[in-house]
């Protein structure tokens, strides 16, 4: 049970209970992607605002388990202020880390590194990656 | 019925720490069924209905013998049993073949929010294409289909009634026999989703007088990839095939062809031969124990578990009065997906989510639920360990701040 305890005690609960950058905006310039996992009911919308090659804002909203919702919040804090290239690199490294693929360990995942604990629960990897996948989608739709 | 003895027939349960409470999704398979599959693959793994050599004759005999077993199992005639990929394919066959060819904009189709997606979505599709009206039976406050409410939506325009026999989320048994009788009085046909009924309840299609009835092999100790559609022969005879190809045809000309008699006109291509034969073995296994005994056992486990859960705070059970072995619940304030990872840690297999039945989850006004379901291989010890795990899960999530 220790793995689970570690996972939840860290950042996850804090961000689950007090999500940062939550709520969508209708201002112009925001790219929006909505992803749903119909089997479990996770339903997440991510927005990003990129200006002059910088990720100026990341917003999120939706419903889901604690891992899904907290990861969206952590992601927003991690990525705001990064260059678009860095945000892409971090997202890629994060997803590869979760799915046990090789990833560039020089990339600083900041707080998002705690989600490496999710690797011990393969059935939950999807929960931890859905927000990040949606973010990647917003960059692609640039 | 001795579950401790029966457990030994299920190789997955050789892991004595494993507690399997997800039979409603798929049952475990006993070695008698696995052996039968091996027998097919090792001794006569050839095609059916085609070869004129002896081995093909043997395979065909075994395949058709399973059809015999299925027909006896639900008291149907041999030619009224169509093998399909599963309950979903069977339910779709009814909607696509019967529905698309018999309904029009003045007709009504009755379904309910208690349906599995495999029952409601094919009719939603028929409704969109034919413009026949899709009508929902209002559920009572427990979430049941009642005769009283059914009568409110049944009328002279009703042409099809498509309902479940036992709900895969709530475990309620619908008053299907009476529904069928009332439907016939207005000239409607009834397609019964028996995916959760066939493994747990004696079904007599003649006594029910249902027009169609569908179920899957894998939920009743049989292999995956095999299911059954029962249809009254006089309806099946009139219905067009929905898949065309080898084996289902009679004479083939350049611009026209004719079809075989039922059931074969609905079974094109090489069927799930091993699956059908394995399903026959599963029926033998179930019959050797008795469906009535199995149902009593599951209900005892369910009642026992509900009683224990009622002693726990912060647990909401949504279907306390269910007549079958399904419990749908939540730990208050904890998303089912978080909870299920805890249970997984205790090696308890159970379901979290929508259970392919979003309409009833929305009706319950929750995001998702947890579900456990019992079968003949579950024991009181499984229930105790499960309840203990629920308690620990609740305490754990409270302790980390849920
Ligand atoms: C009530 C009900 N209907 C239909 C189905 C569909 O069965 P299958 O997935 O085997 O096609 C299921 C099983 O998931 C079910 O529980």
């Amino acid at each position: 049970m220790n793995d689970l305890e570690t996972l939840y005690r860290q950042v996850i609960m804090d961000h689950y209970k007090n999500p940062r950058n939550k709520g969508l905006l209708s201002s112009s310039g925001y790219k929006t992607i909505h992803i749903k996992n119909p089997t479990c009911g996770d339903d997440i919308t991510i927005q990003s605002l990129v200006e002059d090659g910088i990720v100026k804002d990341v917003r999120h909203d939706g419903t889901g388990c604690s891992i899904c919702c907290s990861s969206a919040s952590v992601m927003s804090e991690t990525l705001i202020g990064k260059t678009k290239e860095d945000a892409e690199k971090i997202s890629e490294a994060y997803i590869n880390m979760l799915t046990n693929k090789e990833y560039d360990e020089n990339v600083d995942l900041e707080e998002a590194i705690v989600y490496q604990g999710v690797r011990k629960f393969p059935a939950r990897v999807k929960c931890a990656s859905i927000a990040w996948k949606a973010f990647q989608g917003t960059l692609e739709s640039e | 019925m001795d579950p401790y003895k029966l457990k030994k027939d299920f190789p997955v349960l050789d892991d004595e720490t494993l507690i399997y409470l997800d039979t409603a999704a798929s049952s475990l398979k006993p070695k008698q069924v696995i052996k039968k599959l091996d027998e097919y693959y090792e001794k006569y793994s050839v095609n059916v209905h085609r070869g004129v050599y002896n081995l093909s004759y043997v395979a065909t005999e075994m395949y058709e013998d399973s059809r015999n077993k299925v027909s006896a199992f639900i008291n149907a005639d041999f030619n009224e049993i169509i093998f399909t990929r599963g309950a979903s394919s069977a339910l779709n066959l009814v909607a696509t073949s019967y529905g698309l060819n018999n309904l029009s904009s003045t007709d009504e189709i009755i379904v309910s929010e208690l349906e599995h997606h495999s029952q409601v979505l094919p009719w939603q599709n028929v409704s969109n294409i034919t413009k026949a009206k899709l009508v929902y039976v209002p559920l009572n406050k427990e979430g049941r289909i009642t005769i009283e409410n059914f009568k409110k939506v049944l009328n002279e325009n009703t042409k099809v009634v498509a309902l479940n026999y036992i709900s895969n989320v709530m475990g309620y048994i619908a008053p299907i026999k009476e529904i069928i009788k009332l439907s016939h009085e207005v000239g409607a046909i009834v397609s019964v989703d028996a995916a959760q009924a066939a493994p747990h309840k004696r079904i007599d299609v003649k006594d029910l007088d249902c027009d169609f009835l569908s179920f899957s092999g894998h939920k009743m100790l049989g292999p995956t990839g095999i299911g059954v559609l029962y249809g009254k022969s006089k309806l099946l005879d009139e219905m067009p095939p929905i898949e065309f190809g080898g084996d289902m045809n009679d004479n083939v000309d350049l611009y026209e062809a004719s079809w075989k008699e039922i059931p074969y006109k609905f079974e094109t291509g090489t069927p799930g031969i091993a699956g059908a034969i394995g399903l026959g073995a599963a029926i033998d296994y179930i019959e050797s124990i008795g469906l009535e005994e199995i149902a009593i056992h599951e209900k005892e486990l369910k009642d026992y578990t509900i009683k224990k859960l009622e002693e726990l705070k912060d647990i909401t059970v949504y279907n306390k009065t269910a007549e079958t072995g399904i419990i749908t619940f939540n730990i208050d304030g904890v998303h089912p997906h978080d909870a299920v990872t805890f249970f997984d840690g205790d090696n308890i297999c159970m379901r979290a989510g929508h259970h392919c039945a979003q309409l009833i989850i929305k009706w319950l006004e929750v995001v998702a639920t947890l579900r456990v379901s019992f079968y003949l291989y579950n024991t009181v010890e499984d229930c105790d360990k499960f309840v203990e795990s629920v308690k620990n899960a609740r305490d754990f999530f409270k302790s980390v701040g849920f």
Side-chain angles (χ1 to χ4, degrees):
Chain A
M1 219 58 277
N2 252 336
D3 291 338
L4 195 60
E5 181 133 17
T6 318
L7 186 64
Y8 279 94
R9 287 237 187 253
Q10 288 175 323
V11 185
I12 291 180
M13 281 314 293
D14 175 30
H15 280 265
Y16 182 46
K17 288 281 157 185
N18 312 295
R20 333 284 203 262
N21 304 307
K22 189 169 161 128
L24 304 178
L25 299 176
S26 52
S27 325
S28 68
Y30 280 87
K31 303 284 178 198
T32 305
I33 295 274
H34 175 208
I35 299 194
K36 233 178 136 135
N37 177 355
T39 45
C40 64
D42 286 351
D43 185 326
I44 283 279
T45 304
I46 299 292
Q47 288 184 316
S48 71
L49 176 68
V50 179
E51 277 172 1
D52 306 326
I54 305 286
V55 178
K56 283 276 162 60
D57 198 8
V58 177
R59 311 287 308 175
H60 63 96
D61 204 2
T63 53
C65 64
S66 60
I67 292 183
C68 169
C69 295
S70 66
S71 69
S73 171
V74 170
M75 177 185 79
S76 68
E77 286 207 318
T78 309
L79 297 181
I80 291 175
K82 299 285 185 302
T83 63
K84 188 176 167 213
E85 285 74 48
D86 281 349
E88 276 166 349
K89 265 192 213 144
I90 293 170
S91 305
E92 196 188 326
Y94 176 86
I95 302 252
N96 285 340
M97 176 227 13
L98 273 184
T99 47
N100 270 327
K101 294 198 187 110
E102 276 197 28
Y103 72 99
D104 184 352
E105 296 192 17
N106 295 319
V107 175
D108 186 1
L109 294 176
E110 301 179 15
E111 258 191 330
I113 192 73
V114 300
Y115 289 88
Q116 66 183 328
V118 174
R119 288 185 298 195
K120 299 221 172 70
F121 307 97
R124 303 296 298 284
V125 166
K126 234 190 195 151
C127 312
S129 43
I130 178 168
W132 290 76
K133 289 253 166 78
F135 173 76
Q136 288 179 323
T138 65
L139 293 190
E140 278 159 24
S141 71
E142 286 275 304
Chain B
M1 199 201 97
D2 179 359
Y4 301 96
K5 205 167 125 225
L6 294 177
K7 268 180 95 132
K8 298 204 172 73
D9 289 333
F10 293 81
V12 170
L13 296 176
D14 285 353
D15 173 0
E16 287 180 6
T17 65
L18 185 83
I19 298 176
Y20 189 73
L21 300 178
D22 198 19
T23 293
S26 196
S27 71
L28 300 177
K29 285 76 179 152
K31 57 178 189 270
Q32 288 83 343
V33 168
I34 299 165
K35 271 208 186 112
K36 200 74 193 175
L37 294 174
D38 283 348
E39 180 188 293
Y40 167 74
Y41 285 117
E42 286 170 5
K43 302 217 167 103
Y44 45 90
S45 62
V46 302
N47 219 319
V48 291
H49 301 147
R50 293 175 188 186
V52 276
Y53 47 92
N54 185 51
L55 217 49
S56 177
Y57 175 80
V58 172
T60 306
E61 284 286 291
M62 295 300 293
Y63 178 71
E64 295 301 342
D65 183 47
S66 270
R67 199 189 308 273
N68 246 327
K69 285 180 181 168
V70 173
S71 56
F73 185 62
I74 60 171
N75 193 26
D77 292 340
F78 178 84
N79 64 351
E80 295 175 321
I81 299 298
I82 299 162
F83 283 126
T84 67
R85 236 175 0 90
S88 300
S89 296
L91 294 163
N92 271 279
L93 200 166
V94 178
T96 307
S97 176
Y98 185 90
L100 287 182
N101 290 290
N102 288 286
L103 297 192
S104 62
S105 61
T106 51
D107 297 329
E108 295 184 7
I109 305 161
I110 295 181
V111 292
S112 86
E113 285 154 281
L114 203 49
E115 302 315 307
H116 190 279
H117 295 158
S118 296
Q119 174 72 310
V120 73
L121 294 182
W123 291 107
Q124 213 178 68
N125 182 49
V126 168
S127 163
N128 288 336
I129 293 171
T130 64
K131 304 298 170 213
K133 192 169 155 203
L134 199 60
V135 180
Y136 285 84
V137 191
L139 302 178
N140 80 352
K141 41 178 217 307
E142 282 188 345
R144 287 174 184 271
I145 299 166
T146 62
I147 292 298
E148 192 191 345
N149 284 350
F150 179 70
K151 282 180 179 163
K152 290 182 194 157
V153 289
L154 183 73
N155 63 51
E156 295 294 323
N157 297 328
T158 310
K159 288 286 153 18
V160 170
V161 174
L163 295 172
N164 70 86
Y165 199 163
I166 296 179
S167 156
N168 67 312
V169 178
M170 304 300 267
Y172 298 147
I173 301 178
I176 204 74
K177 188 173 170 181
E178 174 125 37
I179 285 173
I180 292 164
K181 188 164 158 280
L182 292 167
S183 303
H184 288 165
E185 283 170 11
V186 302
I189 61 103
V190 182
S191 171
V192 180
D193 176 359
Q196 295 295 340
H200 311 280
K201 190 167 181 13
R202 174 69 54 201
I203 293 173
D204 180 331
V205 293
K206 295 213 163 64
D207 177 56
L208 288 178
D209 199 26
C210 54
D211 301 285
F212 300 102
L213 183 130
S214 304
F215 56 94
S216 286
H218 70 95
K219 292 187 201 280
M220 48 183 286
L221 310 181
T224 57
I226 190 78
V228 172
L229 171 64
Y230 156 82
K232 280 183 180 162
S233 57
K234 71 174 195 314
L235 290 167
L236 293 176
D237 280 337
E238 298 294 315
M239 285 158 51
I242 59 167
E243 289 188 319
F244 302 84
D247 246 10
M248 53 75 71
N249 53 273
D250 185 10
N251 181 49
V252 176
D253 285 325
L254 282 179
Y255 302 104
E256 249 175 342
S258 55
W259 320 134
K260 278 188 178 155
E261 298 290 304
I262 59 165
Y264 305 107
K265 82 171 172 189
F266 294 107
E267 289 183 6
T268 192
T270 301
I273 305 169
I277 292 170
L279 176 58
I283 289 175
D284 287 343
Y285 188 92
I286 288 175
E287 293 289 24
S288 75
I289 299 157
L291 274 165
E292 293 73 12
E293 294 252 331
I294 294 171
I296 291 168
H297 174 67
E298 294 163 356
K299 178 74 169 30
E300 276 172 6
L301 294 182
K302 180 239 157 199
D303 287 343
Y304 174 85
T305 306
I306 294 266
K307 224 166 114 215
K308 295 244 159 177
L309 288 178
E310 277 179 336
E311 292 164 12
L312 300 183
K313 269 210 243 159
D314 303 323
I315 306 295
T316 304
V317 176
Y318 301 104
N319 66 332
K320 282 186 188 169
T321 63
E323 303 88 338
T324 62
I326 290 178
I327 301 176
T328 290
F329 71 105
N330 268 324
I331 303 174
D332 298 347
V334 180
H335 193 286
H337 235 211
D338 287 312
V340 88
T341 298
F342 188 97
F343 295 116
D344 203 14
D346 285 352
N347 218 1
I348 299 176
C349 308
M350 53 190 272
R351 188 82 186 265
H354 288 145
H355 322 292
C356 303
Q358 287 187 26
L359 298 179
I360 190 66
I361 298 300
K362 287 177 183 162
W363 186 90
L364 286 168
E365 299 180 338
V366 293
V367 289
T369 71
L370 295 163
R371 178 187 72 188
V372 292
S373 46
F374 302 111
Y375 209 16
L376 45 84
Y377 35 65
N378 294 119
T379 62
V380 169
E381 285 74 17
D382 291 348
C383 301
D384 286 336
K385 284 185 191 149
F386 162 67
V387 172
E388 188 61 24
S389 188
V390 172
K391 202 158 59 181
N392 293 338
R394 179 201 60 189
D395 294 345
F396 168 74
F397 286 107
K398 297 273 173 255
S399 79
V400 296
F402 271 77

